[in-house]
Amino acid sequence: QGMIDVSTAWSPTDYPEIWIDMLNSVAREVDLPMITHPTAAGSPPLFGQGIPLAATRNICRQVPNIVGWKMLYPYPGYRVIAEALKTLDRPVAVMGALAHFFHEYHMMGMLDGTMSGFWNYAAEPMVKHLDALDKGDHQAALSIWRAGLVQLHEAVGDRGRLHIRYKVATWLRGLIPSPIMRPPLPLPRQSEIDLLYAALQAAGLDVIDQRDTKIGLPA
């Protein structure tokens, strides 16, 4: 029960030392660069489940091993955090996570790299899209983005089902043998499989035979 104090009920703004102490303890034992996964109890609507602005600055300043900050924020909060990271006295990379905003992030200069499960099932068009943006070919990038890629990411990106849908989409690509997560995580629904199958096809990606997608799951 007491672990709720430093997990789902933790306030990074009021008690930043909890995570700062943990990170610095790790750094003392294994002095390597760190890329964070900065989730907290949540501060909607601006920062969602991401650690808010003041705590982000504080943690980065007090943990010098941090070199990258995974960006788990809604779009407006993402901009606030990304701009703040650029004002630190050392580089801390802005690591995009929600792929359905990668086009906007890149166009705003707020995508130093990515840490994202969306790569599991759509690496080919994602690489082409970001390569086109890097080369300044915005029309090519936009044509890839609008040709089903952003719609696919939006179909996957239900925050309450995100990792389940990552696995379903990766399975539908034929890259893993099963869409089933380990218990106690829930089963995917057949409606999710059908939704993602159609989205993958619309994005022009190879998928398994549709007959193999009917595996007796709940509707």
Side-chain angles (χ1 to χ4, degrees):
Q1 290 285 349
M3 290 307 296
I4 291 175
D5 298 349
V6 292
S7 55
T8 59
W10 172 55
S11 168
T13 300
D14 295 329
Y15 307 105
E17 69 278 3
I18 290 174
W19 205 35
I20 289 168
D21 291 347
M22 289 180 183
L23 293 174
N24 280 323
S25 294
V26 172
R28 283 193 295 272
E29 296 297 324
V30 185
D31 188 16
L32 293 172
M34 295 178 172
I35 297 176
T36 65
H37 194 291
T39 55
S43 52
L46 187 58
F47 299 116
Q49 293 178 315
I51 289 178
L53 177 60
T56 295
R57 286 190 180 127
N58 191 3
I59 291 165
C60 287
R61 287 169 178 159
Q62 296 199 50
V63 185
N65 287 65
I66 293 174
V67 299
W69 196 262
K70 185 172 181 178
M71 301 294 284
L72 302 160
Y73 305 90
Y75 183 70
Y78 185 113
R79 292 184 61 185
V80 171
I81 297 295
E83 290 169 3
L85 292 175
K86 298 300 184 185
T87 69
L88 296 172
D89 60 2
R90 71 178 196 283
V92 174
V94 177
M95 307 294 287
L98 300 177
H100 38 294
F101 291 121
F102 278 8
H103 190 87
E104 291 89 339
Y105 296 158
H106 194 292
M107 294 293 288
M108 293 294 292
M110 298 188 301
L111 191 68
D112 298 326
T114 78
M115 285 188 66
S116 177
F118 290 84
W119 288 98
N120 292 337
Y121 59 84
E124 308 95 326
M126 290 172 70
V127 167
K128 290 178 181 178
H129 169 251
L130 292 177
D131 279 349
L133 286 174
D134 286 341
K135 294 172 183 174
D137 192 345
H138 298 149
Q139 287 303 315
L142 197 58
S143 67
I144 296 166
W145 192 239
R146 289 180 171 171
L149 182 57
V150 64
Q151 293 87 350
L152 170 60
H153 289 326
E154 288 172 343
V156 172
D158 181 326
R159 294 298 293 271
R161 305 285 290 183
L162 187 57
H163 292 81
I164 294 167
R165 294 190 179 193
Y166 282 161
K167 191 162 187 179
V168 168
T170 307
W171 167 67
L172 290 172
R173 291 294 318 276
L175 300 173
I176 56 174
S178 171
I180 307 301
M181 302 283 274
R182 290 191 180 95
L185 289 168
L187 293 170
R189 297 177 178 177
Q190 187 62 48
S191 57
E192 290 178 296
I193 292 173
D194 296 342
L195 171 71
L196 298 181
Y197 192 89
L200 287 161
Q201 282 191 311
L205 292 166
D206 294 333
V207 288
I208 63 177
D209 191 298
Q210 192 165 20
R211 292 170 294 184
D212 296 331
T213 68
K214 310 299 181 183
I215 56 175
L217 292 168

